[in-house]
């Protein structure tokens, strides 16, 4: 089926079978590779993108369900106030190790800070629970979200 | 200070020639210099006429930090800031880019990236500095000893010019055999806590290119339908249903018959098509046992006389001492198979160039492995094969299989085509969990005898499990007199002085493919040693820290181990835990480094146990990038504790029962509330940091749980959740 996909502020005409996960359209068709494949079952969060501003797992979001939505990926976060603050905090604290999960971590963290400008450690743990990091950078992710909140507050 | 008058002249000639200074090694492995990329030399550092430097990183970057660390060494010796240098990954070249601890083999493992590169990269940076200075001294007519390179400028005696001005002249000079290394008192970058990771910016904006992100023109995606039972082979397959999948190209059994290669236009089509293929497996030679049977075999081996007497002790005498002791402690431990599960599922992409070269794009942990394998598969000489080393999304050992498993799969899938289209091999998470190479299942049985004063007088230690090294290319290096050292490391070479210790080893029958897993044998040996030390301390009525210190008396490495133990205890407030909190401690040496960890827990086993804090102390020699050292300790703790809490791979009828993160649950952000790491100041050469944080983490948690519950049986078999520990 032909679909008009609104992604990062542009409309892309894509051809995909119904049931195709948004993840594979983003990665294989649009060649935006910042969004990662980790598990395929919405259990790790590496594929997190924003749908109308809210984090969703693109491996379990199907192409036929996103036609009227605005999709945003990690590649657009520099232009987003909250996204840029999270990226700055991640750089200050050197949150990343292998880095493969970090696009998803950042997309989810932006979703959290949009909802809750000053999350507690417990609120961060609750919201970020589904984003796995096999390098176990969690302590810096927690600190990074709190640092980003401070950057945004200033 | 003013710029030297002749600068313009240099700039002109250098820029015109596109000149550069390359410092590296020639084909004989001898340090050499060249002025362009065409020279027969693979460099460690390239310096352009624009004064920019590039470090060539011979180790894979999968988070442990060599891209920043090795670049730091070059920058320090050369005399540039971290902003004036960048990095590239080195090509495959086992003569020049070999791991100096592995022989003529390029690879990353055993936490050796910094340890083996420490002198090599500093020497390369220092040689470049001396040559640039010599060129400047000659040009200016001054004594080279009066010059230095500071922030990329050759400076001294009133002269100052960009080092880029001298690259052409420097490249004509002989490379100094023993360049002067900067004294530690001169260091600006080594040990500087302000240094940030060079790979952070691209990892926060989606620009980092992992092998999974390769997308070559006209590529096909290949996924393999694999045997559920290790050792099974394809008898026949039916791909008729796959033909209904849009984008499906073809399916062919691998020449090894270990699976069916499914070719498609893109990843999703490959996944769909693979699901649609029916395979008839011949499992006559496959593993068919269940985990319970394999465990029974391991446990039975612990009660028999061991095949190998590892430390050549008089076991009968040790047993007699234990039997006659005032107090006898006996404990049997079991450790399950574990998967590595790096975030980036295994993958690589292979293409043939117009000139007939084979190019592999891979987050290659051991480039020499696929490089050698491809010479056989494609019947090509080494120089017709290129490996484009890319960022890897984790490994924990998995990307370094002695048989180059996934790269060989990709090679076989490619050679079955006409090679006109690149082939990208993709594993999904289910492949990763089910078709992996696992940390072997291992059992330990320990009997410790204490005299009436609580002093150890005998320690009979038996280990049984599947050997990692036997039957691989690493056997000659790691197996001696039949003993696979990687099964007993951490006991056989422990800095503890334990009187009357016997150590036996029995290899059990091959159950699956096994592999080193972050910290290898130390994953289980540290656990057993440190849990037993705690049990012995308790039986002796002594404090666990004081008890351990009484066996760390030999000086040298015992002193270093004692120092981290004391520092961790001090920083954690050992013995003064807040009300409702319980502490456990463990200390272990691995990969040349010493790490002690205190785990503090709260709650109870009815309502749930919470890990409140982990306090670590590490001595890894000179901490080149201290923040990377802390990050690796944090990650190593998480990796060790997460698996000990709740992960295992089990077999049913030979087939792996787990399939993805829902049933191989990773450590989550809420599992550990805080980690604090303290680094011991040291003048010793750097040792490992990627792995040493892992071994003490699980036993420190276990000791805290045993102290809280007074039930050491809860922690005798892993994972803990399976044995009855309830984590909140």
């Amino acid at each position: 089926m032909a679909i008009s996909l609104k992604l990062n502020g542009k409309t892309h005409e894509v051809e995909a079978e119904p049931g195709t996960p948004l993840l594979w359209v983003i990665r294989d068709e649009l060649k935006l590779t910042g969004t990662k494949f980790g598990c395929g079952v919405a259990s790790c969060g590496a594929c997190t993108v924003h749908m109308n501003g809210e984090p969703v797992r693109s491996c379990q979001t199907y192409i036929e369900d996103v036609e009227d939505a605005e999709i945003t990926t990690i590649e657009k976060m520099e232009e987003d106030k909250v996204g840029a603050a999270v990226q700055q905090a991640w750089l200050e604290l050197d949150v990343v190790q292998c880095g493969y999960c970090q696009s998803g971590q950042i997309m989810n963290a932006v979703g959290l800070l949009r909802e809750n400008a000053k999350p507690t450690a417990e609120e961060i743990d609750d919201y970020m629970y589904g984003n796995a990091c096999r390098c176990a950078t969690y302590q810096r992710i927690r600190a990074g979200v709190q640092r980003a909140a401070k950057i945004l507050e200033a | 200070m003013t710029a030297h008058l002749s600068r313009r002249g240099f700039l002109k000639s250098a820029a015109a020639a596109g000149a550069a200074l390359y410092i590296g090694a020639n084909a004989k492995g001898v340090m050499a210099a060249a002025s362009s990329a065409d020279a027969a030399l693979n460099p460690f550092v390239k310096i352009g006429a624009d004064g920019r430097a590039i470090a060539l990183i011979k180790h894979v970057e999968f988070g442990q930090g060599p891209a920043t660390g090795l670049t730091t060494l070059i920058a320090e010796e050369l005399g540039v800031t971290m902003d004036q240098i960048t990095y590239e990954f080195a090509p495959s070249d086992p003569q020049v880019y070999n791991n100096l601890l592995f022989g003529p083999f390029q690879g990353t493992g055993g936490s050796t990236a910094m340890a083996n590169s420490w002198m090599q990269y500093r020497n390369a940076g220092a040689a470049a500095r001396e040559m640039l200075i010599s060129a400047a001294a000659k040009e200016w007519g001054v004594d080279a000893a009066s010059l230095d390179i500071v922030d990329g400028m050759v400076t001294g005696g009133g002269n100052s010019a960009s080092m880029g001005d001298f690259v052409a002249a420097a490249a004509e000079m002989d490379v100094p055999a023993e360049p002067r290394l900067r004294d530690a008192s001169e260091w600006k970058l080594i040990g500087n806590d302000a240094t940030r990771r060079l790979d952070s910016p691209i990892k926060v904006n989606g620009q980092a290119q992992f092998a999974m992100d390769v997308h070559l023109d006209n590529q096909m995606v290949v996924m393999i339908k694999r045997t559920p039972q290790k050792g099974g082979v394809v008898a026949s397959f039916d791909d008729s249903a796959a033909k209904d999948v849009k984008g499906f190209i073809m399916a062919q059994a691998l020449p090894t018959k270990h699976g069916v290669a499914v070719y498609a236009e893109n990843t999703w089509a490959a996944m769909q098509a693979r699901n649609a293929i029916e395979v008839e497996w011949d499992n006559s030679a496959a593993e068919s046992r269940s985990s319970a049977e394999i465990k029974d075999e391991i446990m039975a081996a612990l009660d028999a006389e061991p095949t190998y007497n590892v430390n050549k002790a008089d076991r009968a005498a040790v047993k007699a001492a234990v039997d006659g002791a005032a107090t006898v402690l006996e404990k049997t431990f079991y450790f399950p198979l574990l998967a590595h599960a790096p975030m980036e599922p295994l993958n690589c992409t292979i293409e043939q160039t117009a000139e007939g070269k084979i190019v592999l794009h891979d987050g290659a942990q051991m480039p020499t492995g696929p490089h050698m394998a491809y010479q056989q598969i494609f019947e090509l000489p080494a120089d017709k094969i290129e490996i484009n080393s890319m960022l890897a999304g984790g490994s924990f050992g998995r990307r370094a299989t002695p048989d180059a498993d996934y790269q060989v799969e990709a090679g076989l899938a490619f050679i079955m085509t006409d090679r006109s289209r690149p082939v990208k091999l993709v594993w999904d998470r289910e492949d990763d969990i089910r078709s992996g190479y696992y940390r072997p299942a291992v059992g330990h049985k320990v009997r410790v005898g204490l005299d009436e004063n609580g002093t150890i007088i005998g320690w009979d230690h038996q280990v049984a499990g599947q050997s990692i090294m036997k039957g691989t290319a690493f056997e000659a290096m790691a197996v001696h007199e039949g003993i696979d050292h990687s099964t007993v490391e951490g006991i056989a070479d422990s800095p503890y002085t334990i009187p009357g210790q016997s150590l036996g080893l029995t290899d059990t029958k091959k159950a699956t493919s096994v592999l080193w897993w972050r910290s290898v044998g130390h994953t289980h040996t540290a656990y057993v040693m440190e849990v037993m030390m705690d049990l012995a301390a308790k039986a002796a009525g002594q404090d666990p820290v004081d008890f351990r210190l009484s066996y760390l008396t030999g000086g040298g490495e015992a002193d270093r181990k004692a120092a981290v133990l004391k520092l961790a205890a001090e920083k954690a407030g050992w013995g003064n835990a807040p009300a409702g909190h319980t502490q456990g401690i463990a200390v272990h040496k691995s990969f040349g480094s010493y790490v002690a960890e205190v785990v503090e827990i709260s709650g109870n086993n009815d309502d749930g146990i919470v890990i409140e804090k982990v306090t670590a102390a590490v001595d890894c020699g000179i901490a080149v990038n201290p923040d990377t050292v802390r990050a690796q300790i944090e990650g190593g703790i998480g990796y060790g504790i997460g698996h000990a809490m709740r992960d295992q791979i089990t077999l049913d009828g030979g087939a792996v029962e787990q399939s993805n993160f829902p049933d191989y649950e990773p450590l989550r952000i809420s599992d550990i509330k805080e980690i604090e790491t303290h680094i011991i100041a040291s003048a010793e050469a750097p040792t490992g940091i990627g792995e040493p944080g892992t071994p003490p983490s699980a036993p420190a948690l276990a000791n805290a749980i045993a102290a809280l519950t007074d039930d050491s049986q809860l922690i005798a078999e892993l994972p803990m959740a399976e044995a009855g520990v309830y984590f909140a």
Side-chain angles (χ1 to χ4, degrees):
Chain A
M1 60 188 284
I3 291 192
S4 291
L5 180 64
K6 280 177 250 165
L7 187 135
N8 294 344
K10 283 185 198 156
T11 301
H12 303 264
E13 302 302 327
V14 296
E15 180 67 35
E17 293 297 292
T20 303
L22 175 60
L23 168 67
W24 295 114
V25 174
I26 292 172
R27 286 185 56 84
D28 279 2
E29 300 303 315
L30 304 179
K31 316 271 195 314
L32 286 173
T33 54
T35 305
K36 301 301 188 200
F37 166 56
C39 71
V41 296
S43 188
C44 78
C47 67
T48 304
V49 301
H50 291 173
M51 184 164 157
N52 299 323
E54 289 191 13
V56 295
R57 307 302 196 218
S58 64
C59 75
Q60 293 294 315
T61 303
Y62 302 103
I63 192 68
E64 60 270 29
D65 298 328
V66 300
E67 182 136 39
D68 299 317
E70 290 279 352
I71 305 296
T72 314
T73 68
I74 184 70
E75 284 87 354
K76 197 73 173 170
M77 279 300 105
E78 277 165 345
E79 296 170 32
D80 181 281
K81 187 182 166 208
V82 180
V86 173
Q87 288 173 328
Q88 184 190 327
W90 252 237
L91 292 178
E92 285 179 17
L93 300 179
D94 265 349
V95 171
V96 310
Q97 287 185 30
C98 90
Y100 193 80
C101 73
Q102 297 293 346
S103 295
Q105 303 281 0
I106 289 169
M107 296 306 282
N108 216 53
V110 171
L112 165 59
L113 288 168
R114 281 188 186 145
E115 262 181 41
N116 181 348
K118 269 190 172 175
T120 63
E122 197 171 326
E123 287 168 339
I124 294 169
D125 285 4
D126 282 349
Y127 197 95
M128 301 298 291
Y129 183 85
N131 283 74
C133 172
R134 295 291 291 163
C135 301
T137 62
Y138 296 124
Q139 136 136 345
R140 291 175 189 232
I141 289 170
R142 196 183 293 124
V145 172
Q146 289 179 321
R147 174 68 192 131
K150 281 224 167 65
I151 292 169
L152 287 165
E153 199 180 29
Chain B
M1 202 177 288
T2 53
H4 197 275
L5 289 176
S6 72
R7 184 175 176 215
R8 180 178 298 170
F10 267 101
L11 272 179
K12 195 177 163 191
S13 60
L21 172 62
Y22 285 27
I23 301 290
N26 61 21
K28 290 179 181 165
V30 177
M31 199 75 99
S35 58
S36 84
D38 300 329
L41 155 148
N42 267 324
F44 296 108
V45 57
K46 304 191 274 194
I47 303 162
D50 59 358
R52 299 280 309 167
I54 301 169
L56 277 291
I57 308 302
K58 67 177 187 174
H59 288 286
V60 68
E61 174 62 83
F62 40 43
Q64 85 285 30
T68 306
L70 303 194
T71 303
T72 301
L73 302 182
I74 298 275
E76 183 73 83
E77 290 297 340
L78 184 56
V80 297
T81 68
M82 292 300 279
D83 293 332
Q84 293 170 325
I85 191 166
T86 184
Y87 69 90
E88 291 172 1
F89 295 116
S92 170
D93 182 341
Q95 268 70 49
V96 174
Y97 296 126
N98 60 317
N99 186 320
L100 299 178
L101 302 172
F102 289 3
F105 195 96
Q106 185 177 353
T108 303
S111 295
T112 56
M114 179 56 73
N116 94 94
S117 306
W118 168 242
M119 293 303 288
Q120 185 178 43
Y121 275 66
R122 287 169 73 211
N123 274 318
R129 182 190 72 236
E130 289 199 349
M131 293 162 74
L132 291 163
I133 283 176
S134 294
K138 196 173 166 195
E139 168 65 17
W140 293 337
V142 299
D143 181 1
S146 69
L147 302 177
D148 193 4
I149 300 179
V150 180
D151 296 348
M153 303 292 283
V154 186
T155 302
N159 298 297
S160 181
S162 166
M163 66 180 185
D165 294 0
F166 306 102
V167 295
E172 302 302 317
M173 296 182 164
D174 290 334
V175 181
E178 289 183 15
R180 185 190 77 86
L181 298 178
R182 293 191 191 275
D183 185 78
S185 63
E186 298 173 62
W187 290 346
K188 297 174 180 172
L189 301 174
I190 294 171
N192 188 335
D193 219 350
T195 298
R196 298 290 87 189
R197 292 182 69 107
L198 297 176
D199 56 348
S200 267
I202 55 168
K203 288 178 173 177
V204 305
N205 66 10
Q207 298 308 310
Q209 289 289 296
F210 298 84
M212 189 65 100
D213 302 327
V214 168
H215 202 291
L216 302 177
D217 283 347
N218 205 29
Q219 75 180 19
M220 295 189 278
V221 173
V222 168
M223 296 186 84
I224 312 287
K225 187 123 181 165
R226 293 184 185 79
T227 157
Q229 285 172 252
K230 204 81 193 180
V233 291
V234 178
S236 64
F237 71 91
D238 175 6
D239 64 355
S240 49
K243 287 167 182 160
D244 296 335
V245 175
K246 195 178 172 193
F248 169 68
I249 298 169
M250 62 175 172
Q252 300 191 69
L254 288 171
T256 57
K257 303 286 183 205
H258 288 143
V260 176
V262 182
Y263 302 73
E265 295 294 342
N266 57 59
T267 319
W268 181 240
M271 289 176 171
Q272 299 291 99
R274 187 175 63 161
N275 282 344
I277 285 173
E278 299 288 334
V279 181
E280 195 79 36
W281 299 101
D282 173 359
N283 287 325
S284 53
E287 176 60 68
S288 62
R289 291 175 294 167
S290 69
S291 289
E293 291 168 76
I294 293 164
K295 181 180 173 186
D296 287 347
E297 189 197 330
I298 289 171
M299 294 318 215
L302 295 173
D303 285 324
E305 223 15 67
T307 310
Y308 305 108
N309 181 343
V310 175
N311 64 351
K312 307 255 195 298
D314 180 348
R315 189 178 180 214
V318 171
K319 282 169 85 169
V322 173
D323 288 340
T327 308
V328 179
L329 303 165
E330 180 177 318
K331 201 91 197 150
T332 305
F333 299 85
Y334 179 72
F335 301 87
L337 295 169
L338 290 174
H340 307 73
M343 279 309 299
E344 180 192 13
L346 298 178
N347 70 89
C348 59
T349 303
I350 184 166
E351 63 176 322
Q352 183 167 301
T353 67
E355 299 77 38
K357 273 192 176 181
I358 294 292
V359 182
L360 174 71
H361 306 268
D362 182 22
Q365 184 171 353
M366 288 186 172
T368 305
H371 205 148
M372 287 166 61
Y374 281 13
Q375 289 171 55
Q376 290 182 20
I377 292 174
F378 296 100
E379 296 177 343
L380 284 173
D383 64 353
K384 296 290 183 203
I385 295 159
E386 274 178 28
I387 297 178
N388 174 26
S389 287
M390 305 186 69
L391 291 170
S395 170
F396 316 112
R398 181 61 185 88
R399 293 178 199 277
T401 46
D403 57 358
D405 69 315
Y406 67 94
Q407 296 102 334
V408 166
E409 267 185 358
L412 296 176
F414 189 57
I415 208 167
M416 289 195 293
T417 71
D418 65 6
R419 306 192 204 177
S420 64
R421 300 182 69 178
V423 160
K424 178 177 184 176
L425 173 80
V426 174
W427 286 43
D428 65 10
R429 182 60 56 196
E430 285 79 8
D431 294 320
D432 175 57
I433 300 291
R434 287 182 181 148
S435 312
Y437 283 53
Y438 306 104
R439 194 284 300 272
V442 183
H444 288 239
K445 183 171 184 176
V446 189
R447 294 179 77 238
V448 176
L450 304 175
D451 68 12
E452 48 287 332
N453 300 319
T455 301
I456 297 171
I457 54 169
W459 182 300
D460 181 42
H461 198 141
Q462 303 303 313
V463 185
Q466 187 179 330
S467 165
I468 294 172
M469 302 291 182
K470 286 186 180 177
T472 75
F474 295 91
E475 179 166 345
M477 191 172 81
V479 178
H480 301 289
E481 296 177 24
I483 299 161
D484 181 344
H485 183 71
S486 78
T487 319
V488 291
E489 60 184 358
I491 311 171
D493 50 3
S494 170
Y496 284 130
T497 303
I498 294 173
Q501 188 179 32
S502 65
L503 175 58
L505 170 67
T506 301
D507 294 332
T508 52
K509 195 178 141 196
K510 185 175 163 74
T512 181
S513 41
V514 294
L515 187 62
W516 33 67
W517 182 102
R518 195 174 192 168
S519 79
V520 200
H522 300 283
T523 57
H524 50 91
T525 59
Y527 191 93
V528 174
M529 290 298 291
E530 290 303 288
V531 167
M532 289 309 299
M533 273 293 186
D534 248 44
L535 293 176
K538 187 182 172 193
Q542 293 180 35
D543 173 79
V545 173
D546 295 338
F547 185 79
R548 284 175 172 80
L549 289 173
S550 65
Y551 296 95
L552 290 170
T553 52
E557 56 177 18
D559 285 352
R560 292 178 75 179
K561 187 166 166 176
V564 294
L565 181 64
K566 286 189 268 192
L567 182 63
E570 178 204 323
K571 296 292 184 182
W574 177 253
N576 296 302
H581 289 206
T582 305
Q583 295 170 323
I585 197 164
V587 59
H588 195 72
K589 180 198 177 194
S590 62
F591 308 98
S593 295
Y594 306 78
V595 182
E597 291 163 9
V598 175
V599 171
E600 193 168 305
I601 59 175
S602 67
N604 58 61
N605 207 34
D606 294 322
D607 304 318
I609 288 169
V610 174
I611 301 172
E612 297 285 347
K613 186 173 181 181
V614 184
T615 306
V618 53
D619 175 355
C620 59
I622 293 161
V624 174
N625 302 129
D627 200 47
T628 296
V629 168
R630 278 192 291 272
Q632 285 307 297
I633 293 293
E634 290 162 18
I637 288 168
Y639 203 71
I641 283 182
H643 292 86
M645 286 169 74
R646 56 184 172 236
D647 288 325
Q648 62 176 334
I649 293 292
T650 54
L651 306 181
D652 180 19
V656 172
E657 293 185 288
Q658 292 73 24
S659 65
N660 200 319
F661 288 140
D663 52 16
Y664 193 79
E665 176 71 18
L667 183 90
R668 298 285 181 177
I669 191 169
S670 52
D671 286 323
I672 302 174
K673 290 193 178 305
E674 188 186 356
I675 300 175
E676 189 179 285
T677 303
H678 300 274
I679 303 169
I680 296 237
S682 174
E684 301 286 333
T687 45
I689 200 58
E691 295 167 274
T694 298
S697 62
L701 172 62
N703 289 336
I705 291 169
L708 173 71
T709 61
D710 200 26
D711 181 0
S712 65
Q713 205 45 42
L714 279 174
I715 52 151
E717 298 197 1
L718 296 181
M720 293 172 180
E722 202 70 19
V725 178
Y726 174 48
F727 292 102

